Amino acid sequence: MTMLKELYDTAAIQKLDTAHYLHPFTDHRTLGEQGARVMVRGEGIYLWDSEGNQILDGMSGLWCVNVGYGRKSISDAVYRQMETLPFYNSFFNTTNVPAVLLANKLAAISPPQFQHVYFTNSGSEANDTNVRMARRYWDVLGYSERHTIISRHNAYHGSTMAGASLGGMPDMHAQGGLPIPCIVHIGQPDYRTAGRGMSEDEFGIEAASWLEQKILEVGADKVAAFIGEPVQGAGGVIIPPATYWPEIQRICDKYGILLIADEVICGFGRLGRWFASDLFGIRPDLITFAKGVTSGYVPLGGVLVGDRVADVLIGQGGEFQHGFTYSGHPVACAAALENIRILEEEQLVERVAADTGPYLKQRFADLAHHPLVGDADSCGLVAGLDLVRRKGGNRHEHTAFDSALGVGMVCRAHMFGNGMIMRAVGDRMIISPPLVMTRTQIDDMIALIRHCLDLTQADLQQRGWL
Ligand code: PXG
């Protein structure tokens, strides 16, 4: 792999990069000073940069490369489709074969109430679609007042106007006058930060009750839907108490409001089920998907439309005035079909449920013995640990670092510099590795993380922060 260093002129690429390429979620002044790391190749769970460094991709690209890098059968499927029919739209009573086959496949692998799918290019577009579809559903039924959508603080639902509004990220809302009207937020079910004095189960019920309070505050006859990620991803891998989702379902049923599960991260095996709604015992009306549907090889997203909504839209709704040029793009759908075939053939979803998920849970929990780690928890193949200044006896007694120090970013730099991609959300370090990861690779990853935690600890001591 040392050849890569000779193949690429890293400094020249970095110079061109900052000259013309505006990156997502990036401070360009800092990028200009430091230069971007140039990723050039991937195989399995590993990436290589233009300097020839091998890196364990603990984030699956960005929560998406579920089947791992370098799958020739996906590139072959994409190539074949490009040669046959690279594009045709699905407007004006036309269709294409991969989109039809994929819609059928998704109906087969999703919970039984889903028989229809609406394709988009991304998770953000899918959530915009959800907003329009949920409001349209109530309009068609004659309840045009029911337009408010309830979401949660610290949620991530995308970067479009509706996606960022549904999200609960204050920094995003601060730019561009968000949220758009009729989107409101409640607290997140984060036991670590809000559950002091309660058992986890009690806290789950308490956090769900915030939904009922908000429904009553807004007026039940004005609420269209509630949206949530089964496990919050970008917010820091927030795993809710077991009591939370069933109670949310009960409240949605009580007031007749639609339940939208944003499974952009949680879907396609990430939590050991095709869809995490099954894991948490909920029956959503709409499911947002993206990322893992193609393992990120080609952009694709969409909405699984449950019978309750589909029956109204199809039966009484007439034309839904919504659509993207690339809805049901044949190449993206061909990639998804092959990706799903791999997930099935290699039984990756089952493997996460029965083997690698439980194994990661056990190995990741060991990290809580490290002096820098407060808690470490996982669900399927997502996991998170908290960096703390001083450990306490339980989850609510650790002493946090001053958040202004940016300890998470210091740790992230040690990870990145030593061949491990682990994301920092404040002082919480998170992973979401490819589902192809083996037990041996989990052991390698835990050893690497531990080593980088040691380096971080020594660094913090040197800075006088510990
Ligand atoms: N919903 C969820 C739950 C997501 O995680 C989106 C919607 C939007 O999908 P698109 O395809 O439009 O990006 C996402 C995306 C991070 C990070 O920092 C996470 C995402 C995107 C960008 C950054 O962890 N998730």
Side-chain angles (χ1 to χ4, degrees), residues 62-63 122-124 127 156-158 229 234 262 264-265 290-291 423:
L62 198 53
W63 319 84
S122 67
S124 300
N127 279 328
Y156 189 82
H157 295 298
E229 304 152 76
D262 183 340
V264 165
I265 285 175
K291 295 189 189 275
R423 201 158 125 28

Side-chain angles (χ1 to χ4, degrees), residues 58-59 63 154 169 188-192 229-240 265-266 270-271 360 364 375-386 395 422-425 428-433:
M59 282 306 297
W63 319 84
N154 199 36
M169 303 291 182
Q188 57 179 336
D190 187 359
Y191 182 59
R192 297 162 314 126
E229 304 152 76
V231 167
Q232 283 158 264
V237 180
I238 314 291
I239 304 165
I265 285 175
C266 297
R270 173 71 40 209
L271 303 189
L360 177 68
F364 205 76
D375 287 290
D377 201 4
S378 72
C379 181
L381 284 200
V382 291
L385 60 81
D386 296 314
R395 239 186 269 205
M422 195 170 190
R423 201 158 125 28
V425 179
R428 189 162 166 81
M429 304 302 298
I430 60 176
I431 52 164
S432 175

